Structure formats: structure tokens, C-alpha cells
Amino acid sequence: GKDDMPGAERVFHKLEDHKKGDLCPSCLVGKLYPVKPGTFIHFTGRSPLQATVHETEKLRCNACGKYFEAELDEELKKKYHPSADVAIAVQKYALGVPFYRCGKWQNDLGVPLAPSTQWERSEHLSNSVFPVYKYLLTCAAEGELFHADDTKNRILDLQKEIKKNKEQRVGVYTTAIISKVKDKVINLFFTGRSYAAENLDRLLAHRINENNAILMSDALRLNLPRKASVLWAKCFGHARRNFFDYRDKYGQMVTYIIRQIGKIYHNDKKTIKMSDDQRLKYHQKHSAPILIKLRRWALKKIYLKKIEPNEELGEAFGYFFNHYKELTLFLRVPGAPIDNSV
């Protein structure tokens, strides 16, 4: 309905033959009064960027030759309205439509704008919002909880440079960092030669808060900052996956393990609306006994040689034992998450 469309243009159509207070032309007794207007929604298609051609009337004196021209508002003299720059950036970076395709679309719909011009407008916009980005970094540095992870990326110019200089570090990565600051969440992305740990070190260099933040990530050392001090929580999802991958080979044993881990996740779901302290106490009461039982069960199986340490299931438990302290941080520290799935 109309209330669901805050961005729609509103046009009010007035009655031409009647107005408030007129005698009713139907019964010739009553008088007309206003009621809730009728509504009809009309959809039209147009290009993402609209252009308005402003023509100014010009007059010239036939004696002295002086020109007189209609004045335009200063705002109209600027070729690109800020909303045009935003629309270009949203298409490219939020919707993922390449500049050349946006350019073709604009051209086909009669309002051409070259891909190179769209790039220039995006750069202009990025320069204006860069101080906001820098401020977000300082805000994010004060977070109580950080989620971090790396993924590979491709920057062709950078790859050429690495190849040309024969550098030892050949990878290009995007680091995603989610910072939870009280009731706010800030999502940051860094793409380049650095790993998550190095990006976190640079971010936490802005930190004023003296309390150690919680870092949730997988167990790779490349995620742990070298300079900044954090409480490292490791992702239980990764530990679970190590077992789940061998469910066909080990049958009932893996089924039992997955079922026990499932109980912990079920407990975590129940704590969604609890405070951090309430959640901690709930896990200590209901999840800690499950983990202690699972740990003892595994140690007994290994002791009785029903699981060999160097086979797949033994290696999965090796990961579980080696990282047990960090995997179970949610049992000791308020606010520590159970995994990095966010």
C-alpha cells in the first residue's frame, strides 16, 4: 500500500467541478465535506539516474548587443546532485553492478553516463565520506567483542607488483571484522596484503578502553594480534565440523559427539534474551557438564585404543583438546560467543 512506499512521488488530484461546502449534485439536499482520499498506485520505469535539462531564456539587445539570461538557482548549476553520486555508488558497491553495465543501462534508457565518469563520481563521494570511515575505526576500536576472519581476494595490480618484485608474501586477502560496541555493531573490511591479526593490531592501536576485548575467530595464529592484548575465543563450529566430516566413516561415535555438541547449541539458543552474566551462569550449569562428559568419554576411548590419536577421529579430538581452553571461553567470560558464525 501507499504507506509502504516512502520513496514514491505524491501527486494530489483535486476535483475540478466540486469543492467543500457545495450542494450535493446527486440529492440536491446535503452539502459536500472532505473524507479520506482515494488511492491508486501507478508504476513507471526509468533509468537509475535521472537528468533534467534546464533551458534558460536569453534575450539580446539589437542596439548594444548585450545578452540577458534567466537566472538559475546555485544548486541547479552543479552538474551532479549528491543523490546522483550516492545512486552510482549503491549500484556498484551495494548491488554489485559493474560500472560498464551501469553505463550501458543508462545509455539504453536515454540518459547516458560513461563508466569512467561514474568511477570519478564514486571517488568524489568516497573522499567526502572518508572522515566518517576514519571515525568508525576509532569507534570500532572500543568494542567489547570482535569477530574476525580472512578470505582470499584478487587485486590484479597488486598481484602484478608481487610477481614483479618476487616478494615472499604472495597472498591478497579481505579481512572482515565485526566490532560490537555496547548496542551498536560496526562492520569493517580491509583488503590488501595484511592478515586479520595485522589489521586488528592497527585497529586496536586506536583503543582507549583498558579492558581486554574478546576476539572470536578460528584457531589460525594469523588471527591473533601480536601487539594488542585480547581474550581469544575459538569457534566451536570449526571443532564440530572436524567431527561432522567423518560421520559416514565412524557412524555411531560421531553421531554421539554431534548430539552432545548439539545440546550445547540448544542451550545457547535459550540464552538469546539473557544478559551476559545470566547467559554465563546458564552455560556453566547446563553446558559445562556436557563438555566434561564428552571430554572424559573421548579420553577413555583413546586410552582403550578404540580411537587412535593419528587417525581422522583422533586428530579431530586432538584439535578439541589442544584448543579446549579457548573453545570453552563462553563458560568463563561473560559475553564470549560460542562460534564465529555471525
Side-chain angles (χ1 to χ4, degrees):
K2 64 176 183 179
D3 294 334
D4 300 317
M5 301 186 182
E9 183 182 357
R10 256 64 175 175
V11 179
F12 187 74
H13 300 270
K14 295 197 71 169
L15 282 163
E16 293 182 0
D17 302 327
H18 309 292
K19 62 181 185 297
K20 178 184 173 182
D22 283 357
L23 193 68
C24 174
S26 180
C27 69
L28 301 176
V29 176
K31 291 186 177 182
L32 303 179
Y33 67 94
V35 292
K36 187 177 180 181
T39 299
F40 183 80
I41 299 171
H42 179 63
F43 288 93
T44 57
R46 59 178 65 183
S47 56
L49 295 175
Q50 286 296 291
T52 304
V53 179
H54 296 277
E55 294 185 336
T56 53
E57 184 181 15
K58 282 186 177 181
L59 298 174
R60 187 184 185 192
C61 174
N62 62 3
C64 68
K66 184 176 180 180
Y67 284 95
F68 299 87
E69 185 177 358
E71 283 291 323
L72 274 179
D73 290 341
E74 287 300 316
E75 190 66 29
L76 296 178
K77 290 180 182 178
K78 298 174 184 175
K79 189 169 184 179
Y80 298 101
H81 189 270
S83 64
D85 293 344
V86 171
I88 292 168
V90 165
Q91 283 182 99
K92 165 66 178 172
Y93 297 104
L95 302 182
V97 183
F99 283 130
Y100 79 89
R101 195 171 292 167
C102 292
K104 187 176 185 304
W105 189 11
Q106 286 289 143
N107 187 65
D108 290 345
L109 292 171
V111 189
L113 193 66
S116 56
T117 304
Q118 294 188 47
W119 157 251
E120 289 168 2
R121 298 316 304 167
S122 293
E123 187 176 28
H124 174 76
L125 179 65
S126 72
N127 291 338
S128 66
V129 300
F130 192 69
V132 179
Y133 165 74
K134 290 179 73 175
Y135 180 67
L136 276 176
L137 291 180
T138 61
C139 292
E142 302 304 321
E144 298 93 28
L145 169 64
F146 294 90
H147 289 264
D149 204 0
D150 283 332
T151 188
K152 289 183 179 180
N153 209 320
R154 293 181 69 193
I155 301 178
L156 298 181
D157 287 347
L158 203 51
Q159 288 174 327
K160 288 176 187 175
E161 183 184 316
I162 292 166
K163 193 173 181 180
K164 180 182 175 182
N165 298 334
K166 297 180 180 178
E167 298 179 23
Q168 287 186 336
R169 185 181 290 189
V170 297
V172 179
Y173 304 92
T174 289
T175 297
I177 296 176
I178 298 176
S179 173
K180 294 190 176 181
V181 189
K182 296 182 181 177
D183 60 336
K184 298 288 188 293
V185 176
I186 300 173
N187 301 312
L188 301 172
F189 298 90
F190 305 89
T191 299
R193 310 280 302 279
S194 299
Y195 298 115
E198 295 161 331
N199 287 315
L200 277 164
D201 270 327
R202 281 194 286 272
L203 177 64
L204 293 173
H206 300 285
R207 188 176 179 85
I208 299 171
N209 190 344
E210 295 181 357
N211 295 328
N212 284 346
I214 301 167
L215 168 63
M216 165 52 73
S217 72
D218 58 50
L220 281 175
R221 297 291 299 179
L222 298 174
N223 292 322
L224 183 64
R226 304 292 187 270
K227 299 173 185 176
S229 179
V230 294
L231 297 171
W232 197 8
K234 295 179 182 176
C235 175
F236 217 103
H238 281 74
R240 179 190 181 277
R241 188 171 65 194
N242 290 338
F243 297 113
F244 188 79
D245 288 345
Y246 302 114
R247 63 194 183 280
D248 294 333
K249 185 172 181 179
Y250 291 95
Q252 289 184 343
M253 281 200 289
V254 169
T255 301
Y256 173 76
I257 296 163
I258 295 298
R259 192 178 294 130
Q260 299 310 306
I261 294 173
K263 291 177 182 178
I264 297 165
Y265 273 87
H266 184 67
N267 290 338
D268 199 55
K269 277 187 178 180
K270 291 182 177 180
T271 66
I272 290 174
K273 294 184 180 180
M274 295 182 187
S275 68
D276 287 344
D277 288 327
Q278 289 172 331
R279 176 177 173 273
L280 176 65
K281 289 176 182 176
Y282 188 88
H283 271 304
Q284 286 174 339
K285 182 178 179 180
H286 298 281
S287 299
I290 297 169
L291 281 163
I292 293 168
K293 180 182 176 182
L294 180 59
R295 199 162 184 265
R296 286 174 178 167
W297 178 88
L299 289 169
K300 184 178 179 181
K301 292 287 183 186
I302 293 169
Y303 177 76
L304 295 173
K305 299 193 180 298
K306 296 196 176 175
I307 300 174
E308 291 293 336
N310 58 352
E311 63 178 320
E312 290 98 337
L313 192 57
E315 288 175 356
F317 269 118
Y319 180 94
F320 178 71
F321 294 142
N322 291 338
H323 303 291
Y324 188 81
K325 181 181 176 183
E326 293 85 2
L327 287 169
T328 58
L329 193 72
F330 68 94
L331 295 178
R332 298 185 302 280
V333 177
I338 195 170
D339 65 20
N340 206 28
S341 60
V342 67

